[in-house]
Amino acid sequence: MEQNSAILLCVTKLREEEQRIIDHLKVFGIRVQVNLDSMELPLGGGEVEPFGLALIRCLSQKNALNRAQLLELAGHETLNSVKAITICTNKIHQAIVFQKHGIPQPRFKIAFTPEKLYDAMRNFDELCVIKPATSSWGRGIARITGKECLDGWIAARESVDPGHQSFPVLVQQFVEKGDYDIRVVIVGRTPIVAFRRVSADNWKTNTHLGAEIDPIPINEEIASICRRLTEVLGEGVYGADLFYDYKEQRYLVCEVNQNPEFAKSWKIHGVDVAYHIAKYVREVVELKNTAKYTAKYTVIS
Ligand SMILES: Nc1ncnc2c1ncn2[C@@H]1O[C@H](COP(=O)(O)OP(=O)(O)O)[C@@H](O)[C@H]1O
Ligand SMILES: [Mg+2]
C-alpha cells in the first residue's frame, strides 16, 4: 500500500469495538491515529501525518456531525459521509428523505407545535409514538395512547421547555411489530448480519434497554431495503432498524443509525463486524490511492 495508508479514527473513548477495528486495521497494514473528542482535530497546517480517511465513531451524535463537518471542510473524506451523518442523526431528516425516495417507513407527521400533536394523534387512531428529532438508546421516545396521555406529555414538558425549543418532533403511527424489531448491520453496500431484538416487556426494543439478540437470515425483502438505503445514503457503515409490520405484512424502516454499536451483539451472532468495517476501510483507502477514485458516498439529491 502507498503513502496514504493511514486513517484518523475519531472516538469519544476507545471502547472494545473500536479497539477491535484498530487490531484488524493493523493486520491490514493500515496505521491508525486515534483522535479523542477531547483532542484538537488535525485540520491542516500542523505536523500531523497525512491520513487517507477519517472514520467517525464519536459517541455523541452532535460530536460526530461537528467533527465530520470540520474535517470535510478541511478537505478530508469521512466515513460515514457528512451528508449521511446529517440525515442519520436527525429522525425528521430521515423521514423526509425516505419519503422522497419511497423507502417504506411508518406513517408520520412532523409536529411544529404542541397543538398539532392532537391532529397527528387523531390521524393515527389515537395510538402513536412521539420522537425528538435527535435522540438514541430509546431516550425521549414516548408511546401516546390517547388524549389524556398526550395532555400529560405536553404538561410534563411545559415547565422544562416553555418556549417549545424541542419542536418540531416526529410523530409516527405505532407499528404492530410483535415483541421485536430487526437490526441489520450494513458495511459498504452489504448487509452483513441481521438479528431480532426481542423484548417481552418493553415496546422499545433497544439492546440498551435489555432486549435479547436473536440472529435471523437476511431474506430478499430485507436485502432489497438495504440496497435502497445505501443508494439513498451512499455507502457506509449503518445500523438499520426495521419493523415487520404484522398488519400490513411488510417491512418498514424505523430508523438508520450512523454509528452502530456491536460489542455485545457480535458475541451472540458471531459475525465479526469490526473485521468487516476494517476490510471496508482498507478497500476505500486502497481505492483512494488509485487515480480512478471518485467519492463513493454521494447522497442522491
Ligand atoms: N413507530 C413505532 N412503532 C412501534 N415501535 C416503535 C416505533 N418507533 C420506535 N419503536 C420502538 O422504539 C425503539 C426506539 O426507537 P428508535 O426510533 O429506533 O429510536 P432510538 O434512536 O432511540 O433507538 C425501536 O427500536 C422500537 O422498538
Ligand atoms: Mg433505534
Side-chain angles (χ1 to χ4, degrees):
M1 227 179 286
E2 304 165 31
Q3 77 280 10
N4 261 347
S5 57
I7 70 147
L8 188 76
L9 176 62
C10 295
V11 288
T12 305
K13 54 182 181 178
L14 267 190
R15 300 173 301 172
E16 194 185 324
E17 47 237 285
E18 280 82 30
Q19 190 54 57
R20 205 173 163 79
I21 298 173
I22 293 177
D23 293 344
H24 285 301
L25 286 169
K26 280 187 180 153
V27 174
F28 292 145
I30 295 178
R31 291 186 306 286
V32 179
Q33 291 175 45
V34 174
N35 184 267
L36 303 176
D37 289 351
S38 53
M39 291 162 68
E40 277 182 30
L41 272 177
L43 298 171
E47 293 291 295
V48 186
E49 183 191 9
F51 53 91
L53 183 73
L55 179 60
I56 310 290
R57 288 200 55 96
C58 308
L59 265 185
S60 129
Q61 311 219 54
K62 212 169 150 192
N63 278 354
L65 184 55
N66 280 344
R67 292 177 95 76
Q69 277 170 334
L70 296 179
L71 285 162
E72 188 189 69
L73 287 169
H76 299 295
E77 190 158 334
T78 63
L79 176 63
N80 292 325
S81 72
V82 170
K83 278 186 181 169
I85 297 174
T86 306
I87 295 169
C88 291
T89 52
N90 187 308
K91 292 183 196 327
I92 293 177
H93 289 194
Q94 288 197 35
I96 294 169
V97 170
F98 293 167
Q99 176 169 261
K100 178 173 164 191
H101 293 287
I103 304 254
Q105 63 179 326
R107 288 189 293 132
F108 72 93
K109 294 269 175 209
I110 300 164
F112 286 82
T113 60
E115 298 72 48
K116 286 290 176 192
L117 289 170
Y118 290 97
D119 297 342
M121 180 186 67
R122 275 191 294 274
N123 212 278
F124 299 131
D125 300 329
E126 313 271 316
L127 181 60
C128 61
V129 178
I130 299 181
K131 301 184 179 187
T134 55
S135 67
S136 50
W137 297 342
R139 273 195 301 230
I141 293 187
R143 180 163 64 166
I144 303 296
T145 52
K147 182 178 175 307
E148 263 189 43
C149 184
L150 182 53
D151 290 343
W153 187 91
I154 292 172
R157 299 169 68 92
E158 264 165 3
S159 56
V160 283
D161 182 19
H164 306 309
Q165 295 296 312
S166 49
F167 278 76
V169 295
L170 183 68
V171 188
Q172 286 180 339
Q173 67 168 131
F174 181 79
V175 176
E176 299 296 345
K177 64 183 192 298
D179 60 359
Y180 68 94
D181 70 357
I182 298 166
R183 164 57 62 92
V184 191
V185 181
I186 301 169
V187 178
R189 288 198 173 273
T190 316
I192 59 167
V193 64
F195 51 90
R196 288 180 178 184
R197 303 188 298 181
V198 187
S199 200
D201 49 13
N202 192 347
W203 64 272
K204 291 191 225 177
T205 53
N206 299 72
T207 34
H208 264 274
L209 301 176
E212 298 293 326
I213 310 268
D214 175 25
I216 56 167
I218 297 167
N219 63 27
E220 186 37 48
E221 209 174 332
I222 293 176
S224 139
I225 287 181
C226 293
R227 260 194 307 278
R228 287 290 297 129
L229 284 175
T230 51
E231 277 164 16
V232 169
L233 296 169
E235 287 188 14
V237 178
Y238 302 109
D241 293 347
L242 311 184
F243 298 141
Y244 184 74
D245 180 343
Y246 281 93
K247 252 192 191 157
E248 304 272 326
Q249 308 219 339
R250 62 182 190 138
Y251 291 92
L252 302 174
V253 177
C254 165
E255 65 154 351
V256 179
N257 299 275
Q258 48 86 33
N259 183 16
E261 295 175 329
F262 53 84
K264 181 182 163 200
S265 51
W266 92 270
K267 288 171 193 150
I268 298 165
H269 58 64
V271 175
D272 191 347
V273 176
Y275 170 78
H276 285 272
I277 293 175
K279 194 157 78 82
Y280 179 63
V281 165
R282 178 178 64 171
E283 265 170 44
V284 176
V285 169
E286 280 179 351
L287 202 68
K288 273 176 69 79
N289 284 339
T290 67
K292 288 185 291 198
Y293 182 76
T294 50
K296 292 175 72 189
Y297 331 102
T298 321
V299 176
I300 303 174
S301 54

